[in-house]
Structures are given as structure tokens and as C-alpha cells.
Amino acid sequence: MNSLIKLELTRALRNRKFLFFSVIYPSVLFLIIAGNADSTTKVPGSALTLPTYMMVSMASFGALTAVLMGNSERIAKEREGGWVRQLRLTPLPGRGYVLAKTASAAVVSLPSIVIVFAVAAAVKDVRLDAWQWLALTGAIWAGSLVFAALGVAIGYLASGDAVRPITMITYFGLSMLGGLWMPTTTFPGWLQDIAKWLPTHAYAALGQAIEQSRAPHVQDLVVLVVSFALFAGGAAWLYRKDTLKA
């Protein structure tokens, strides 16, 4: 399995388009959204300034891009191209393929998180305690596993032709409605009620709680745990179904 992980990492690092959108693009968006914001005005309904608020949102967005976009399309295309079927003829267990995909995407997601933090600190003078930086990195990185499981599920659900539109609709829908591109406090009341139950909203809220040195809301933790269970369970079921079909 280690050899497959190395192969997946090599392929991901050679894909310049993927690296741009997962590693560089979130930092660029952060500068566009928070570039002219001052360091004192608070986001309505939050105790955080816009740069501090959007730093977590864009770091979460970068990790989401790496694990969701990175997994779904490659898995669907490799299934269609026969690569997954070839791997089943080797001693590699089925779960090893999924773990290799998840591990490679998770490794790529880490630089996107760190670069957003570095840009926020250097350009917008965001300052946190050392434990907060470490806790934020760990929480956002670990939380990305929720969306890695979703990426695997979509990869086994969709065909090579259908996977991109399904992934893009899911990706943009979760990003926009979950408040990763703008604070959900700017949404109409009914849309805020919907956003609170989305895993992307809970994902960003986890980091924002760390920034405020407080415990996360129980609802956010429940949404993330339930989402992970649903996505991972769906991925496992779809994988077994695909195996039997083969």
C-alpha cells in the first residue's frame, strides 16, 4: 500500500492545475475577500474580524478542494479505465486503494491550510497564540476526512462522464451555502437555518471556535460526526457494490 500512496502523491504533485486550485487558489480568494478589510471591524453576528473569520473559511475551502475534487474524479475515471479492476488482481486489499487515495489527498490539503495561515498572518496581521495555530491546523486537517469520504462515495457512485458535474455541484453548493465564501450571517434567515445543518458550516465553525478560545457547539460536532458516518458508510456500500459488479 505504501507504494500506491507514493504513486498517488507523485501524480497529485505533478498535476499543476489541481495544485493551483487546492493550494494557491484559496489564498488568492482570501486576499480578494479580506484584502481591503480592516483589523477591527467585526463580522456581524461574530466576535471575529473579517480577515480572521475568512482565514479559517479559506483554509477549510482549500482542504475541501484537495480531498473532494482530488478523490471523486480520479476514482471514477480509474474505475472506468480498468485501473481499479487491475489492482484487485494484486495482493492489495480493497480498503488499501481507498486509504491510498485519502492519504494522498490529505497530504496535499495540508499545504493549502498552512499557506492560507501564512498569508493571513503576513498580509492581514492575523495573530493567534501558538496553541491556536496548532489546534486550527489539526482540526481543519482532521475535519477534511469528512469530505474525503464524500469524495470516495461520489467516485464510486458516478461514471467518468457524470462525475465532474456531480462533484462541481456538490463542491460549490457546500462551499457557498456552508459559508466558506461569505459569512452566513449575511444570508436571509431561512437560508441561515439551512446552512447550520451543512457539514461545511460546522467544519468552519470548528476553527472559528478555536480562534475565539471556546469550546465548539455540540450541534457542529454532531453534524460533522453524522456526516462522516453517512459519507463513509455510503462509500463502503458503493465500494462493495462495485466489487460485486466487477
Side-chain angles (χ1 to χ4, degrees), residues 48 159 190 201 203 208 222 240:
L48 300 172
S159 65
W190 64 270
H201 180 276
Y203 184 36
Q208 289 154 11
V222 170
R240 286 194 296 270

Side-chain angles (χ1 to χ4, degrees), residues 140-212:
I140 294 174
W141 199 20
S144 69
L145 292 175
V146 174
F147 306 100
L150 175 59
V152 173
I154 293 175
Y156 277 102
L157 175 67
S159 65
D161 292 332
V163 66
R164 175 161 293 187
I166 292 174
T167 301
M168 295 301 284
I169 291 171
T170 303
Y171 170 66
F172 284 116
L174 287 175
S175 297
M176 289 187 289
L177 296 178
L180 298 188
W181 287 2
M182 64 187 71
T184 55
T185 51
T186 63
F187 294 175
W190 64 270
L191 194 54
Q192 290 185 42
D193 292 337
I194 294 174
K196 289 177 182 177
W197 295 101
L198 294 178
T200 37
H201 180 276
Y203 184 36
L206 193 62
Q208 289 154 11
I210 294 172
E211 287 183 316
Q212 297 174 71

Side-chain angles (χ1 to χ4, degrees), residues 11 74-84 97 101:
R11 292 173 63 187
R74 280 202 292 268
I75 288 175
K77 290 178 180 177
E78 288 175 1
R79 284 175 52 234
E80 196 168 74
W83 173 241
V84 177
Y97 172 76
K101 288 291 184 186

Side-chain angles (χ1 to χ4, degrees), residues 31-75:
L31 291 175
I32 292 172
I33 296 172
N36 294 324
D38 60 57
S39 57
T40 56
T41 305
K42 307 292 184 183
V43 172
S46 169
L48 300 172
T49 63
L50 184 62
T52 309
Y53 186 100
M54 291 308 301
M55 180 184 76
V56 163
S57 294
M58 285 298 106
S60 302
F61 175 66
L64 168 69
T65 302
V67 297
L68 179 60
M69 302 293 285
N71 274 335
S72 59
E73 290 195 36
R74 280 202 292 268
I75 288 175

